[in-house]
Amino acid sequence: FTVSGGSYVKISFEGARNRIGEVYTWLFKYYLPKNGLKYSCGTMIQEYRGDLLSEKADMVLYIPVKL
């Protein structure tokens, strides 16, 4: 697939799989505004590492942003 160019925030997450929603809440509600960034409505990418069936998530999130 093709990913559009632009700026992305890269967030690593390693923890309980059922807490991924909290990561997104923190990212959009606190991290982006605090750093003067806005979500650019582009393609978000989730890169999973390790065992996908594990209770523990090990992933990297790439979120497109406007500077």
Side-chain angles (χ1 to χ4, degrees):
F1 66 92
T2 302
V3 177
S4 59
S7 298
Y8 284 78
V9 167
K10 178 182 175 183
I11 301 289
S12 295
F13 173 72
E14 192 173 326
R17 188 170 298 281
N18 64 354
R19 299 195 72 189
I20 294 171
E22 294 175 35
V23 173
Y24 278 102
T25 298
W26 169 80
L27 180 68
F28 285 99
K29 190 173 182 179
Y30 300 105
Y31 182 84
L32 294 182
K34 181 180 177 182
N35 290 283
L37 302 170
K38 293 184 180 182
Y39 174 59
S40 72
C41 298
T43 303
M44 287 193 288
I45 300 169
Q46 297 177 333
E47 175 188 348
Y48 293 92
R49 304 178 293 198
D51 183 2
L52 293 177
L53 301 177
S54 171
E55 293 289 321
K56 183 179 176 184
D58 184 5
M59 61 193 298
V60 179
L61 309 172
Y62 299 89
I63 309 297
V65 294
K66 294 178 186 175
L67 303 177

